[in-house]
Amino acid sequence: MPESDQATPFLVRPIVTRRGPDPKQDRAARTKLLVLTAAAELFAARGFRQTSVKDVADRVAMTKGAVYFHYPTKEALAVAVVEQHYARWPALLAEVTAAGHGPLETSARLLAGAAAAFRDDIVVRAGARLQIERPQIDAELPTPYVDWTRLLAALLGRAEAAGELRAGVCPQAAARSLVAALFGTQQISDILHERSEIAERWAETSELLFRAIRA
Ligand code: LUB
């Protein structure tokens, strides 16, 4: 996949726990990730307002001060969790791209992988909930939906160039439709079944949508 398509979306970098020779830095990075994961578990289960920094500190057997050392406010914790939600996707993209399928099949497998992550990855789950609760969070959260839309529009643009798209299908419109469909599917599945059956629900929606756009 040409570099130009990959580089732009999801610019957030994952938290790196091995930062080289200094064990103190490694420990700090590991503690930072531990705190972030504990916050994600609580934000996913209770939401932003119902979670206190004390709750996070208790969950990792640390003092509030130790948590504040890594994240100065509860809002900063929420921003970090949402950023790590998006930092999950480049690795998934690289994994799916490495399989070497065409752009349309790559798009389908990428979205299926994302659907599973909404079920299995606590940071992805917490990030999705915090994005719903944006109005309650007094902080600059990453803009939702736009990176997925940009990435899928690029992939479907290449599918069009490769003759994989049905004549008349607009890559940008199809990208927006796929993002709206996965967003809706994961949201409904969360509320009704805590996303336990999201893979099945997304498979049926994906089959319908890709049948509509495939040449
Ligand atoms: C995705 C959510 C939940 C869009 O990209 C996003 O911001 C998303 C969180 O806001 O679904 C569907 C790929």
Side-chain angles (χ1 to χ4, degrees):
M1 174 182 297
E3 208 39 47
S4 60
D5 287 350
Q6 281 184 10
T8 316
F10 312 117
L11 288 177
V12 180
R13 294 280 165 273
I15 290 181
V16 179
T17 54
R18 292 207 60 68
R19 294 174 183 266
D22 174 351
K24 221 154 73 11
Q25 264 198 338
D26 286 356
R27 204 172 33 257
R30 277 198 302 280
T31 306
K32 194 177 179 82
L33 187 56
L34 201 68
V35 171
L36 183 131
T37 306
E41 289 160 356
L42 291 165
F43 286 145
R46 306 175 186 173
F48 181 78
R49 282 221 174 114
Q50 305 313 317
T51 298
S52 69
V53 171
K54 177 83 170 58
D55 296 333
V56 176
D58 292 349
R59 199 176 184 88
V60 287
M62 291 166 62
T63 63
K64 281 174 69 175
V67 172
Y68 283 131
F69 171 77
H70 293 286
Y71 302 98
T73 63
K74 187 170 77 166
E75 285 73 14
L77 255 175
V79 170
V81 168
V82 173
E83 287 185 343
Q84 289 310 309
H85 164 108
Y86 293 108
R88 291 293 201 261
W89 306 132
L92 175 64
L93 175 61
E95 183 197 323
V96 172
T97 303
H101 300 285
L104 199 62
E105 185 59 23
T106 296
S107 308
R109 289 166 180 256
L110 185 60
L111 292 167
F118 277 106
R119 178 193 58 212
D120 306 334
D121 185 324
I122 193 62
V123 172
V124 169
R125 295 163 70 97
R129 179 166 185 167
L130 292 169
Q131 285 286 40
I132 295 289
E133 297 177 353
R134 297 168 62 86
Q136 302 166 20
I137 304 172
D138 179 16
E140 189 65 32
L141 294 177
T143 307
Y145 324 124
V146 293
D147 283 340
W148 268 111
T149 305
R150 189 181 303 134
L151 173 60
L152 288 168
L155 277 168
L156 296 177
R158 295 193 27 263
E160 181 184 42
E164 295 184 341
L165 275 196
R166 183 185 296 271
V169 170
C170 163
Q172 289 69 28
R176 287 188 291 269
S177 304
L178 287 165
V179 169
L182 182 52
F183 174 79
T185 300
Q186 65 82 28
Q187 188 63 21
I188 295 169
S189 180
D190 181 29
I191 304 299
L192 297 182
H193 305 285
E194 292 191 355
R195 299 193 184 94
S196 59
E197 37 56 291
I198 190 172
E200 296 78 11
R201 294 290 79 73
W202 178 248
E204 60 194 22
T205 302
S206 177
E207 207 274 330
L208 267 176
L209 290 174
F210 279 93
R211 187 196 305 210
I213 67 175
R214 180 177 293 114

